[in-house]
Structure formats: structure tokens, C-alpha cells
Amino acid sequence: MLRYLPFILIALYLGAMYFFSSWRLRQELSSNSTPLTHPRLTPMLERLGRAMELPPIRAHVYEIAQVNGLAAPDGRIFLTRGFLDKLDAGQVTEAELASVIAHELGHVAHGHGKRRLVDFAGQNAVRIALGTLLGRFVPFIGRWLADLATIAIVSRLSRDNEYEADAFASALMIKAGLGTGPQKSLFRKLEALTGSRSTTPAWLLSHPQTAKRIAAIEKLEEKWQGS
């Protein structure tokens, strides 16, 4: 029994981290959000709902200035106040924000939110184990190498999730009669909207590069048009 104790402790640690992270995120989102009732977005929520043969999609406004969208592990969809401010300023369109909501619906459909919490908990466990192992062979940089390797693995998984959510959003936007144009045009704007010009190596980025995301969508369109 004792030989299984380390594995039992790791499993308990992962479970505790998952439930704590889930509870903390749910509390943060619930205390800092309101239902999305923007009059220019209501028709978009209705169109997306009809395309999925559902009532109008329900979404929430996360009251932070950052420009972002979010799919919570419990299935709720959020746009940040920063994104709505860009809409009111004429910097993004209703259809472009509909593509964000469609993208987040893709995360929900694929279960990415819950998986990311599991990945977060597992990331810490892997980092500790790998850091201990590498530290024996390369004492001075072992833990740094473990951190780098863990981030690279998690980033790759995150990029795969983004491609899956993009594909779901493209299909939904086409079915809703909005097309993929708003999705691709928003990608081209995101760097300016978020003020980010990352110099991080591509293999460490959690999101795919803009050109690759657009190319993946266009490849899907060619496939769908040819079928």
C-alpha cells in the first residue's frame, strides 16, 4: 500500500487544485459580471441561437478593461467590458463580437474550460516532478528547464484548443448567415486592440499566430465548399 502512497497524494493534490481553482474562478466571475443586454448584440445572440436550434444565446459582461472573451468551466460565456467599449467606439462590429461568442461556445462544446483547470493542476504537479528529476542531473538550471518544458507542453495543448474553437465558430458563423469574414477581420485587429506585440517564441505562445489561424479557417472553407 505504501508504494502507492505518492500516486495517491498526487491524485489528491490534483483534485484539490481543480476544485479550488474552479471555485475561485466561479466566485470571481459571478461577483464581477452582469448579463449581456447590449441592444446591438441582442440580434447576434438570437442569430447564433437559431443557428444552433436553441433559444437566444445567453452571455455575460465581465467587468474588466481588458479586451477578451471567456468560456467558464460551468459553460457560461463572457465578453469583457473592454470589448464592449471597443464596440461603442466603432473599433469592432457586432458581427465580430458574435464571432468571439461563437468561439467561446466552441470551447464549451469541446469541454476546454474544465480541461484547462485540470491542465493547470497537472501543470504544477508535472513541474514539481520534472524539476526534482532534472535538478539531480543539472542542479543549477534543472528547475528552469522543467518550467520551460512544462510551459511548452501546456502552450501546445492550448493552441490545439484554440484551433478547435475557431473551427466550431467558423461553422456556426456560416450557419448563422454571418460568414467567416468577421472572424478573420477581428483576428487582424486583435494585436492593435489588445496592445500586445509579443516577442515570445511561437512554441511558447498559448494562442496560435494570427496568420496561421486565418489560414486554418480558409482551409476549412475550401474543404466545406468542395464537399
Side-chain angles (χ1 to χ4, degrees):
M1 181 66 181
L2 287 177
R3 62 179 179 177
Y4 296 114
L5 184 59
F7 301 102
I8 295 173
L9 292 175
I10 290 174
L12 290 174
Y13 169 78
L14 292 176
M17 285 293 296
Y18 172 83
F19 286 109
F20 175 72
S21 299
S22 179
W23 173 83
R24 185 171 60 180
L25 179 60
R26 185 168 57 250
Q27 292 295 111
E28 165 64 20
L29 292 173
S30 296
S31 62
N32 292 288
S33 65
T34 55
L36 175 59
T37 58
H38 197 291
R40 291 170 60 188
L41 290 178
T42 299
M44 297 292 106
L45 298 175
E46 293 172 349
R47 291 181 71 164
L48 293 177
R50 284 197 301 271
M52 299 177 71
E53 300 181 359
L54 293 172
I57 299 300
R58 296 177 60 187
H60 300 78
V61 182
Y62 185 25
E63 298 292 347
I64 61 173
Q66 183 181 356
V67 171
N68 209 345
L70 173 68
D74 59 12
R76 289 181 294 169
I77 303 297
F78 296 83
L79 288 179
T80 62
R81 176 60 63 184
F83 241 146
L84 295 186
D85 289 342
K86 299 297 183 184
L87 174 65
D88 292 335
Q91 294 177 266
V92 297
T93 68
E94 297 90 333
E96 287 172 339
L97 289 192
S99 76
V100 178
I101 294 171
H103 176 89
E104 300 307 330
L105 287 169
H107 282 309
V108 173
H110 287 288
H112 293 160
K114 292 181 180 179
R115 196 184 308 165
R116 282 175 179 173
L117 285 179
V118 173
D119 289 344
F120 173 73
Q123 177 183 353
N124 290 326
V126 170
R127 180 183 286 117
I128 292 170
L130 194 59
T132 301
L133 178 64
L134 291 177
R136 295 178 180 179
F137 299 98
V138 278
F140 298 105
I141 62 172
R143 293 192 178 278
W144 177 79
L145 290 175
D147 288 345
L148 196 63
T150 304
I151 292 171
I153 293 170
V154 172
S155 295
R156 172 59 186 271
L157 293 173
S158 179
R159 290 195 299 273
D160 290 344
N161 289 350
E162 295 303 318
Y163 281 125
E164 288 180 340
D166 284 350
F168 182 97
S170 295
L172 181 55
M173 290 287 285
I174 290 172
K175 191 174 181 181
L178 297 167
T180 62
Q183 190 180 11
K184 292 185 285 188
S185 65
L186 182 62
F187 284 154
R188 296 186 182 100
K189 294 178 182 179
L190 277 178
E191 186 176 276
L193 290 173
T194 59
S196 62
R197 291 183 177 275
S198 177
T199 57
T200 304
W203 54 281
L204 286 178
L205 292 173
S206 62
H207 282 62
Q209 294 174 321
T210 297
K212 291 184 178 181
R213 295 179 80 170
I214 293 174
I217 292 171
E218 291 176 343
K219 187 175 181 180
L220 283 174
E221 288 181 285
E222 291 175 3
K223 178 181 176 181
W224 292 334
Q225 290 170 359
S227 60

